[in-house]
Amino acid sequence: QNGVMSGLMQMLLLKVSAHITEQLGMAPGGEFREAFKEASKVPFCKFHLGDRPIPVTFKRAIAALSFWQKVKLAWGLCFLSDPISKDDVEKCKQKDLLEQMMAEMIGEFPDLHRTIVSERDIYLTYMLKQAAKQIELPRASETEPRKYIPAVVVGVVGMGHVPGIEKNWNSDLNIQEIMSVPPPSTSSKIFKFVIKATVFGLMGYGCYRIGQRTVQFILSMPAAQSYLQKLTEIRSQ
């Protein structure tokens, strides 16, 4: 639905999620499920999903990578087998280690970090600031002065986004640019064509092999052989 490349990337990330779940015995994203559960207990509380839509993030991330970077990333995600323990997860909560991991990601895939982390920092900050605007109280008449009360907002975000949100909080933000999806590059078009050609080629070959074996099976049946023999005799007569 969201394109070949985005679909493949989402499948690879689901594989990573399954790997983490298998290693830890719990699925990633538990903090967000817990936030939803707790918010539903608070009267008149509105729960808002404030992250940028996944298709936009995936398409911008894929467009930012070169062909070889895409291959390298896909290879790393396909063969992810490093063991993960709960102690490793606790270590990731340390600010210094988290910043080190982010720095490694920037060094290896700077464009990927920009689209997946930095741009979403801006989007998350913008959505939080929109939610945190003062609430205007209803007025009895037009002449009555406007009165406002502060909004009470709890933002639940991944730890890696906290520094970026703090950095962008006092800036004038425009999310129009980071919501646009760039046109696919030439390498992406070629890769899409190769994938489609491979899939349809394999499907065609599979149909051919199945059809060939089906015909051979039917011809090997006694009834078919008898019918063919009669046809041969009729033609010879």
Side-chain angles (χ1 to χ4, degrees):
Q1 291 178 347
N2 298 322
V4 176
M5 294 298 295
S6 294
L8 289 172
M9 183 66 73
Q10 194 156 353
M11 285 171 62
L12 289 173
L13 290 177
L14 284 171
K15 180 182 180 298
V16 173
S17 177
H19 171 71
I20 294 170
T21 304
E22 183 182 359
Q23 292 283 320
L24 299 178
M26 56 183 176
E31 65 273 40
F32 303 115
R33 287 187 286 274
E34 194 66 26
F36 176 75
K37 191 195 308 180
E38 292 301 318
S40 62
K41 298 177 184 176
V42 181
F44 309 109
C45 179
K46 292 181 180 179
F47 184 83
H48 182 62
L49 298 171
D51 203 349
R52 185 170 64 177
I54 289 176
V56 176
T57 298
F58 276 174
K59 286 177 180 178
R60 285 186 64 83
I62 290 164
L65 295 174
S66 67
F67 176 76
W68 293 113
Q69 284 178 321
K70 290 171 189 173
V71 172
K72 186 178 179 182
L73 178 65
W75 181 269
L77 293 176
C78 280
F79 296 97
L80 180 72
S81 59
D82 295 338
I84 304 168
S85 67
K86 292 185 180 181
D87 290 336
D88 294 331
V89 176
E90 291 301 319
K91 287 177 185 175
C92 289
K93 295 178 183 179
Q94 299 172 16
K95 187 177 179 181
D96 293 341
L97 182 61
L98 190 65
E99 289 177 354
Q100 181 186 338
M101 291 168 65
M102 286 293 183
E104 288 175 1
M105 183 180 176
I106 294 171
E108 195 164 5
F109 297 103
D111 294 321
L112 193 66
H113 181 275
R114 173 175 55 80
T115 52
I116 290 184
V117 181
S118 301
E119 288 183 0
R120 285 174 59 228
D121 288 345
I122 294 171
Y123 190 92
L124 289 166
T125 307
Y126 179 86
M127 298 305 286
L128 278 169
K129 289 180 76 171
Q130 292 297 309
K133 284 183 175 180
Q134 290 185 325
I135 301 168
E136 184 180 353
L137 294 174
R139 294 183 294 167
S141 65
E142 291 293 329
T143 56
E144 187 180 344
R146 296 177 185 272
K147 294 181 180 178
Y148 298 89
I149 59 171
V152 179
V153 180
V154 177
V156 181
V157 298
M159 286 186 67
H161 291 291
V162 174
I165 292 172
E166 292 175 347
K167 176 185 172 184
N168 292 308
W169 189 259
N170 294 318
S171 305
D172 292 328
L173 304 173
N174 182 6
I175 62 170
Q176 295 302 319
E177 184 182 346
I178 62 172
M179 287 300 291
S180 63
V181 178
S185 62
T186 306
S187 62
S188 295
K189 290 178 181 177
I190 293 171
F191 190 66
K192 278 185 188 177
F193 175 77
V194 169
I195 293 246
K196 287 181 179 178
T198 303
V199 169
F200 284 117
L202 289 172
M203 286 175 64
Y205 180 72
C207 291
Y208 166 74
R209 292 292 294 173
I210 290 170
Q212 187 183 39
R213 289 185 179 182
T214 303
V215 170
Q216 287 176 349
F217 175 74
I218 292 172
L219 292 176
S220 66
M221 295 175 66
Q225 289 181 352
S226 174
Y227 181 73
L228 288 171
Q229 188 176 359
K230 286 179 181 179
L231 281 177
T232 305
E233 290 174 357
I234 292 170
R235 286 187 65 184
S236 62
Q237 289 173 0

